[in-house]
């Protein structure tokens, strides 16, 4: 009998395969980031977020912001898989005239905020969470950040604000794959001790393996409501996860797979149980 995780794992696998095809066809960048966040997106959209094509504009829908907007291909893939628009439209990714632009666009059904200029998602998310609190609406706001993005000071201003206003329905997730665009996080601007920093800003912190669906799901479900604290999941991830020759490799931040590299990546993912 399929377990709870089997469905979200299969969804993550499809997100990876869509992202690979889209980025190969467009000869675009950021496949490493898409593979890094595929599991987080799958669990969020399969098991957690209370939003669907039917509730796209509902006042009480949960809000999700991909603050690291360069992972747009993976976001579009999960939205298409969940029925927000046709899967066939993914073929138009990053083409002239397509609404599926290379960085996340709010013209795409299900995308709450256009992102790509790093460092803005958490501030907008904090505003949404404050509005929910003031208007007594039940929605949750989830913001997916990257580790390199935390170099932007605006995140820490938003973190300070959210802690001060006790935004308990705000959830940040840090995709902590330890690699930026031109080097490792440790080399470029070390974030450690990262959990202590968030705690000092009065956030409730949980560390997880960002590829283990049971861990992602239970961390999301254990987020205390009415705790008077915003929550952050520090998700330890692997850039390029799922395609062995891309894992931990800086080059796949910008490089696009060739036909042969695409074939071998898809074969590896298709062989997953
Ligand atoms: C404000 C801003 N400055 C610079 C960039 C260019 N840029 C694109 S991705 C990136 C950082 C890559 O690090 P990270 O987001 O941690 O990588 P990933 O999560 O994809 O592994 C940068 C600096 C940007 N998108 N926005």
């Amino acid at each position: 009998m399929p377990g709870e995780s089997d469905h979200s794992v299969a969804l993550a696998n499809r997100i990876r395969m869509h992202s690979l095809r889209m980025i190969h066809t467009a000869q675009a960048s950021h496949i490493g980031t898409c593979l890094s966040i595929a599991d987080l997106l799958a669990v969020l959209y399969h098991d957690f977020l209370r939003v669907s094509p039917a509730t796209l504009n509902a006042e009480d829908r949960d809000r999700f912001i991909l603050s690291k907007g360069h992972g747009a291909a993976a976001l579009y893939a999960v939205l298409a898989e969940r029925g927000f628009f046709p899967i066939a439209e993914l073929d138009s990714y990053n083409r002239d005239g397509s609404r599926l632009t290379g960085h996340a666009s709010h013209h795409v059904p299900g995308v709450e905020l256009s992102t790509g200029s790093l460092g803005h998602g958490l501030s907008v998310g904090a505003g949404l969470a404050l509005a929910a609190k003031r208007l007594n609406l039940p929605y949750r706001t989830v913001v997916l950040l990257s580790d390199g993005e935390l170099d932007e000071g605006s995140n820490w201003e938003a973190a300070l604000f959210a802690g001060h206003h006790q935004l308990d329905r705000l959830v940040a997730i840090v995709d902590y794959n330890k690699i930026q665009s031109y080097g490792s996080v440790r080399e470029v601007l070390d974030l450690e001790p990262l959990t202590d920093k968030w705690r000092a800003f009065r956030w409730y912190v949980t560390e997880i393996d960002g590829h283990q669906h049971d861990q992602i799901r239970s961390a999301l479900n254990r987020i205390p409501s009415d705790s008077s604290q915003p929550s952050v999941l520090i998700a330890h991830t692997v850039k390029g996860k799922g395609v062995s020759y891309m894992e931990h490799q800086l080059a796949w931040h910008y490089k696009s797979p060739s036909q042969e590299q695409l074939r071998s990546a898809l074969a590896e993912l298709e062989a997953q149980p």
Side-chain angles (χ1 to χ4, degrees):
M1 212 171 88
E4 221 183 342
S5 268
D6 295 341
H7 298 292
S8 59
V9 168
L11 177 60
N13 212 28
R14 292 198 298 278
I15 294 170
R16 289 191 164 94
M17 292 200 270
H18 287 310
S19 302
L20 279 157
R21 287 194 199 96
M22 291 158 74
I23 287 173
H24 163 73
T25 305
Q27 283 296 290
S29 297
H30 307 133
I31 187 58
T33 204
C34 293
L35 298 172
S36 181
I37 60 176
D39 295 297
L40 295 167
L41 290 175
V43 175
L44 281 167
Y45 277 92
H46 193 270
D47 300 314
F48 187 72
L49 292 170
R50 293 185 295 237
V51 63
S52 69
T55 60
L56 203 52
N57 297 311
E59 200 179 32
D60 62 353
R61 72 189 183 283
D62 282 347
R63 271 69 162 174
F64 173 72
I65 294 173
L66 180 69
S67 192
K68 45 178 300 179
H70 56 285
L75 176 61
Y76 299 153
V78 75
L79 290 171
E81 281 284 342
R82 301 306 281 167
F84 286 82
F85 58 90
I87 287 177
E89 194 177 338
L90 295 176
D91 293 342
S92 74
Y93 173 69
N94 209 30
R95 295 246 177 99
D96 283 351
S98 169
R99 59 182 176 174
L100 303 190
T101 48
H103 290 74
S105 164
H106 68 275
H107 292 294
V108 178
V111 177
E112 294 281 353
L113 182 73
S114 291
T115 49
S117 180
L118 296 165
H120 298 288
L122 193 59
S123 300
V124 175
L128 287 167
L130 183 66
K133 205 173 171 106
R134 294 260 162 95
L135 301 172
N136 207 19
L137 287 167
Y139 68 80
R140 289 105 32 119
T141 303
V142 179
V143 181
L144 181 50
L145 301 158
S146 70
D147 45 24
E149 180 175 17
L150 292 181
D151 296 356
E152 296 284 354
S154 50
N155 287 296
W156 300 105
E157 183 182 349
L160 191 65
F161 177 91
H164 173 82
H165 287 283
Q166 306 184 340
L167 301 181
D168 53 323
R169 278 178 231 147
L170 177 63
V171 181
I173 304 177
V174 179
D175 172 30
Y176 198 9
N177 62 32
K178 329 281 185 305
I179 298 180
Q180 307 195 4
S181 20
Y182 296 115
S184 71
V185 170
R186 191 175 290 172
E187 286 165 341
V188 177
L189 196 52
D190 195 7
L191 292 171
E192 291 297 332
L194 187 55
T195 54
D196 292 350
K197 289 187 173 71
W198 286 95
R199 282 198 188 99
F201 281 75
R202 303 189 203 160
W203 285 59
Y204 178 84
V205 185
T206 310
E207 274 187 279
I208 56 167
D209 178 329
H211 301 303
Q212 293 299 322
H213 288 223
D214 289 340
Q215 281 192 38
I216 303 167
R217 195 172 10 253
S218 68
L220 287 168
N221 289 333
R222 269 191 282 113
I223 285 169
S225 55
D226 298 328
S227 72
S228 311
Q229 278 184 301
S231 291
V232 58
L233 308 188
I234 308 293
H236 294 280
T237 53
V238 171
K239 196 154 176 169
K241 175 73 178 176
V243 176
S244 47
Y245 68 86
M246 293 186 180
E247 290 189 358
H248 303 287
Q249 298 303 313
L250 177 64
W252 294 102
H253 186 78
Y254 286 120
K255 253 178 83 164
S256 192
S258 66
Q259 189 66 48
E260 177 48 29
Q261 286 166 330
L262 174 69
R263 194 204 55 73
S264 106
L266 292 177
E268 190 174 339
L269 291 168
E270 276 155 13
Q272 300 282 320

